[in-house]
Amino acid sequence: MRNDTEITEFILLGFPGIQGLQAPLFIVIFLIYILTVAGNGLIIVIVWVEPRLQIPMYFFLCNLAFLEIWYTTTIIPKLLETFVVSRTVICTACCLLQAFFHFFLGTTEFLILAAMSFDRYLAICQPLRYPSIMTSNLCLQLALSSWLTGFTIVFCQTMLLIQLPFCGNNVINHFYCDVGPILKAACADTSILELLGLLATILVIPGSLLFTITSYIYILTTILWIPSATGRQKAFSTCASHLIVVSLLYGAVLFMYLRPTAHSSFKINKVVSVLNTILTPLLNPFIYTIRNKEVKGALRKAMTCLKTHHKSEIYQNELSAYANLVRGT
């Protein structure tokens, strides 16, 4: 039986079976959030100020870093609240807004990663034509189309979702507003929305995955034909970071959606969601910089400039203090 009373708020359960661990988990996840924002923000700043990094690969990386900042910001603040208060309440409009941004940014991430795989394909398989094909205009078009496509797909579904009345169970057994529990709380037929969601999922996830796999088949084939071991290693190193990020993201998503329902555990899904929404955005800056000589070189240059500037300020302050002392005597 359904309760006919209209729902004005949802309750997020978060992780109810962690009594006694709320404080340590709050500190850990808060630190992860700070590191995620700082790491991805640092990538954007370094690419912006370093002329050598203003190439297509790092332009797409900046888009990804910007996306990750807002993706985690959409989820983590409310997750932290579940560790502080015993009953985490979110208004219906806020819940729908969080769901919109979560799926909009998540959809856009798949498309940007697909654009990055296309960029790596051109750089490795078509190196002579790469500068003439991957122009700044094409980079901008690929990035804008990724953001606009992600926005359009999710916005259309959200417009239908906000028109539904909600009078069912308002408890969401998750740490963010997932669409599944929201649809279960609706008092109207949701079959059209479910169909649209399925079509969008098929279009975005398997579609972008197939495009990425095809790109990497050509990339790996080209790398294997490079005669020197040094050349093969250098070519593979340019796409290794992207391949790791793609594997983490698609691995987590396919694990959640392709397991048989009879054997699925919602607790396991929540743990995998933590990997997708919290850990992957944290790891991305480290994955893209730890093996990247250009980014590490730009970081060292920035640190050297900061140290030089700091020493110069200290020296100037000492000179000013000495001049004041001389004038005083």
Side-chain angles (χ1 to χ4, degrees):
M1 291 182 63
R2 280 189 177 275
N3 183 4
D4 291 334
T5 304
E6 185 178 355
I7 292 174
T8 58
E9 61 186 27
F10 287 93
I11 300 171
L12 298 175
L13 290 185
F15 296 93
I18 55 167
Q19 284 78 9
L21 297 174
Q22 288 92 339
L25 283 174
F26 178 92
I27 294 170
V28 169
I29 293 178
F30 179 73
L31 290 176
I32 287 175
Y33 176 62
I34 297 298
L35 287 173
T36 300
V37 173
N40 285 286
L42 184 61
I43 286 178
I44 296 172
V45 171
I46 287 176
V47 173
W48 183 268
V49 301
E50 180 55 55
R52 290 182 303 169
L53 299 181
Q54 292 173 9
I55 58 177
M57 180 173 72
Y58 296 110
F59 171 75
F60 291 119
L61 181 57
C62 282
N63 275 268
L64 186 64
F66 179 77
L67 183 148
E68 297 288 25
I69 290 172
W70 291 107
Y71 189 63
T72 53
T73 302
T74 301
I75 301 297
I76 290 184
K78 206 64 185 178
L79 170 60
L80 292 174
E81 186 181 335
T82 64
F83 298 132
V84 177
V85 299
S86 57
R87 186 171 179 268
T88 304
V89 175
I90 182 169
C91 68
T92 302
C94 298
C95 189
L96 295 175
L97 190 64
Q98 187 192 51
F100 166 74
F101 277 106
H102 173 254
F103 287 99
F104 157 49
L105 295 170
T107 301
T108 305
E109 183 171 13
F110 286 110
L111 300 175
I112 287 178
L113 287 172
M116 292 175 77
S117 67
F118 177 63
D119 172 69
R120 292 299 84 207
Y121 160 76
L122 288 177
I124 294 173
C125 301
Q126 306 285 339
L128 298 179
R129 299 177 59 202
Y130 177 72
S132 61
I133 297 175
M134 190 56 73
T135 61
S136 57
N137 284 336
L138 181 59
C139 289
L140 187 61
Q141 288 170 10
L142 288 172
L144 282 176
S145 62
S146 298
W147 285 94
L148 289 174
T149 302
F151 177 84
T152 303
I153 289 173
V154 180
F155 181 77
C156 292
Q157 296 177 70
T158 305
M159 286 298 98
L160 295 175
L161 185 61
I162 62 176
Q163 297 178 39
L164 294 175
F166 298 102
C167 59
N169 183 12
N170 70 331
V171 177
I172 297 178
N173 186 16
H174 217 314
F175 56 87
Y176 66 87
C177 290
D178 199 4
V179 170
I182 294 175
L183 289 177
K184 288 181 181 179
C187 306
D189 183 22
T190 60
S191 56
I192 294 177
L193 260 173
E194 290 173 12
L195 178 61
L196 288 174
L198 177 63
L199 292 174
T201 301
I202 293 172
L203 174 67
V204 173
I205 299 177
S208 60
L209 178 59
L210 180 62
F211 182 86
T212 301
I213 289 174
T214 304
S215 298
Y216 271 99
I217 289 173
Y218 282 104
I219 289 170
L220 294 175
T221 303
T222 303
I223 290 174
L224 291 174
W225 278 99
I226 297 175
S228 67
T230 305
R232 288 194 297 269
Q233 184 179 0
K234 185 178 180 181
F236 184 74
S237 66
T238 62
C239 57
S241 300
H242 177 258
L243 189 58
I244 293 170
V245 171
V246 166
S247 300
L248 284 173
L249 180 63
Y250 283 102
V253 170
L254 294 177
F255 178 83
M256 284 193 294
Y257 288 106
L258 295 186
R259 287 184 306 141
T261 307
H263 301 288
S264 64
S265 168
F266 202 77
K267 290 182 179 178
I268 296 176
N269 281 350
K270 279 201 281 188
V271 172
V272 177
S273 294
V274 169
L275 172 67
N276 243 7
T277 58
I278 299 174
L279 293 182
T280 302
L282 169 68
L283 294 174
N284 280 354
F286 297 100
I287 292 171
Y288 278 106
T289 57
I290 198 168
R291 291 172 55 88
N292 194 307
K293 293 180 181 179
E294 292 175 322
V295 176
K296 287 193 289 187
L299 277 171
R300 281 194 294 267
K301 181 180 176 182
M303 293 300 294
T304 303
C305 290
L306 286 173
K307 287 180 181 178
T308 305
H309 180 68
H310 181 62
K311 288 180 180 178
S312 177
E313 282 188 342
I314 293 174
Y315 181 68
Q316 288 177 0
N317 290 336
E318 288 177 349
L319 283 178
S320 298
Y322 179 74
N324 292 333
L325 182 62
V326 170
R327 282 196 296 269
T329 56

